[in-house]
Amino acid sequence: MKRLLVLALAGLLVALGWTPAQAALPSKQLTGYWQNFVNSAQPLKLSQVPDSYDVIVLAFANADPATPGAVTFGVDPDLSNALGGYTDADLKADIAAKRAAGKPVLLSIGGERGNTDLSSADRVSAFVGSFTRIATDFGIQGIDIDLEGTFDAANTASAIRQVHDRMGDGFLVTMAPQTLDVQPGGRYMALIESVKSLITVVHTQYYNSGGMLGCTGQLVSQGSVDFITAQACNLLQVLRPDQVALGVPATPQAAGSGYVPPSVVNSALDCLAKRAGCGSYLPTTAWPGISGVMTWSINWDASSGWAFSAPVRSHLDALA
């Protein structure tokens, strides 16, 4: 009964246009992607996401085939069936409850198979209109940029600014670039520079990659502390530490390659925050304000009995 009352009150506030200021995010955040589709990971209602997650990102908005640039969103029919009839109304109520609990829910664009075409001003306008309607309708508190194909950095930056302006100063902006995209000169770097005053967190995907250059110019192979730390410092030269998080898969099955156990993730956090627990790369300075960790995905974490989030959450709390 108590949960029903909370859901009803939160849903009423959202329906009345409640737009609270940005949630007071903890200094060390755990962000997870919620899969709005079915694969081998455990299907979940949003209400089943544990409190260990501070930020939840819905994956993903879909390109609207009828309107170039526009996006659509709703509970995937296969997911609905897998959950016994989960509806858009159910998801909206669950989002409202998460908001009421101080857990922001964002909507991601892109993904491995997704595409959002922002190649013209008209398409940007269509995107902004459709995304803000969805955000208002579902009570979404932020946008996540996970464009993994080619994109127009200037137009994408314009879209982000327009969405942010329409939704208000409390609206969160996150990004999930691939490792290559935030190497020096990478395609995300111009976008990040253009909108970095609006960025909440960039959580680079430190997986599904070959060797990459660390910030001292050395080639580092994935699947190690050094792969994470020696690349994170590239981004830490551009953004504040609280704007930089570490993106890792929750289980070996969650990514094609690059999985590391939670102990390695925690060592990478220690290395960046305290210059302790490092591999062969030792940062020249510590970044105690490092934001935290992102994982793909909450569903894969659930499939492992929360074997990822439990130890990482505890470590983040110890660093806070």
Side-chain angles (χ1 to χ4, degrees):
M1 180 63 71
K2 182 178 180 181
R3 171 173 165 75
L4 291 175
L5 289 173
V6 169
L7 289 173
L9 177 59
L12 177 60
L13 290 171
V14 171
L16 292 174
W18 176 51
T19 54
Q22 176 175 320
L25 297 176
S27 62
K28 295 291 178 281
Q29 303 152 30
L30 180 58
T31 297
Y33 283 79
W34 175 80
Q35 296 179 192
N36 185 35
F37 56 88
V38 176
N39 60 8
S40 298
Q42 181 176 329
L44 292 173
K45 298 178 180 180
L46 202 72
S47 59
Q48 294 174 290
V49 177
D51 287 343
S52 54
Y53 284 93
D54 303 299
V55 180
I56 303 165
V57 186
L58 309 179
F60 297 93
N62 296 310
D64 184 347
T67 308
V71 291
T72 63
F73 180 73
V75 175
D76 178 77
D78 289 339
L79 178 63
S80 176
N81 291 335
L83 294 174
Y86 197 54
T87 66
D88 284 0
D90 294 329
L91 177 57
K92 291 174 186 178
D94 286 347
I95 291 172
K98 291 295 183 185
R99 286 180 62 165
K103 308 285 186 179
V105 178
L106 287 65
L107 177 59
S108 185
I109 62 169
E112 179 185 4
R113 300 176 184 177
N115 179 47
T116 302
D117 186 348
L118 302 176
S119 58
S120 69
D122 286 346
R123 294 182 182 216
V124 169
S125 180
F127 171 79
V128 171
S130 60
F131 190 94
T132 54
R133 284 192 296 272
I134 292 166
T136 301
D137 187 26
F138 278 82
I140 288 163
Q141 288 181 284
I143 183 172
D144 176 70
I145 308 299
D146 187 10
L147 298 173
E148 298 183 8
T150 58
F151 62 88
D152 186 304
N155 284 353
T156 304
S158 175
I160 291 169
R161 291 191 203 97
Q162 290 182 54
V163 167
H164 186 272
D165 288 348
R166 288 200 191 185
M167 299 305 298
D169 287 340
F171 205 67
L172 307 181
V173 176
T174 64
M175 298 183 184
Q178 299 175 102
T179 51
L180 182 64
D181 294 337
V182 287
Q183 292 274 286
R187 57 187 169 184
Y188 261 76
M189 296 311 293
L191 174 61
I192 288 169
E193 286 282 4
S194 182
V195 297
K196 66 181 180 180
S197 65
L198 301 179
I199 289 174
T200 309
V201 176
V202 175
H203 32 242
T204 303
Q205 302 175 40
Y206 292 119
Y207 51 94
N208 289 340
S209 170
M212 290 286 161
L213 296 177
C215 62
T216 61
Q218 77 278 29
L219 184 67
V220 187
S221 297
Q222 68 177 355
S224 66
V225 170
D226 285 342
F227 186 75
I228 297 172
T229 57
Q231 287 190 85
C233 71
N234 284 321
L235 206 51
L236 285 160
Q237 312 304 320
V238 178
L239 294 171
R240 303 186 312 267
D242 65 281
Q243 292 176 301
V244 178
L246 314 178
V248 292
T251 67
Q253 298 81 13
S257 62
Y259 169 79
V260 294
S263 60
V264 173
V265 178
N266 292 341
S267 292
L269 286 167
D270 285 344
C271 181
L272 294 169
K274 303 185 295 185
R275 299 181 77 229
C278 300
S280 60
Y281 167 70
L282 180 65
T284 56
T285 187
W287 294 282
I290 189 80
S291 174
V293 174
M294 171 276 283
T295 193
W296 179 268
S297 65
I298 298 170
N299 301 72
W300 283 113
D301 187 27
S303 300
S304 71
W306 312 110
F308 175 85
S309 58
V312 172
R313 172 79 270 163
S314 295
H315 199 73
L316 288 169
D317 290 343
L319 282 176

